[in-house]
Amino acid sequence: MPFAIYTHDSWGVVKVASFKTLGEAQQVFSAVCCDPWYQQDGGVKGVELVQNAEDGASQRLDWFAFR
């Protein structure tokens, strides 16, 4: 699947989900950014939306930092 969402915390990076379309990925990305649990947790530092390439490379499309 060409799009993925990852969270970043003090322990590393966690893949949240993969998506076939950018639209689906953007909807979930927005939902995670607004989710009260992620905002109040304190351990999760950020979330990113990534486009994966077939050669294993990836490109960050969006990033949100929790404060």
Side-chain angles (χ1 to χ4, degrees):
M1 296 202 183
F3 302 97
I5 296 175
Y6 296 92
T7 57
H8 295 255
D9 60 26
S10 300
W11 301 279
V13 179
V14 176
K15 186 175 190 177
V16 175
S18 297
F19 303 92
K20 291 182 181 179
T21 69
L22 179 57
E24 292 173 318
Q26 288 173 323
Q27 285 181 321
V28 174
F29 178 82
S30 294
V32 170
C33 292
C34 295
D35 188 298
W37 183 88
Y38 284 102
Q39 292 178 0
Q40 297 171 5
D41 176 66
V44 179
K45 303 302 180 194
V47 60
E48 81 179 316
L49 173 58
V50 173
Q51 182 175 13
N52 296 315
E54 289 183 21
D55 63 1
S58 62
Q59 177 181 356
R60 179 185 288 170
L61 300 177
D62 207 348
W63 169 261
F64 180 82
F66 296 102
R67 296 186 178 146

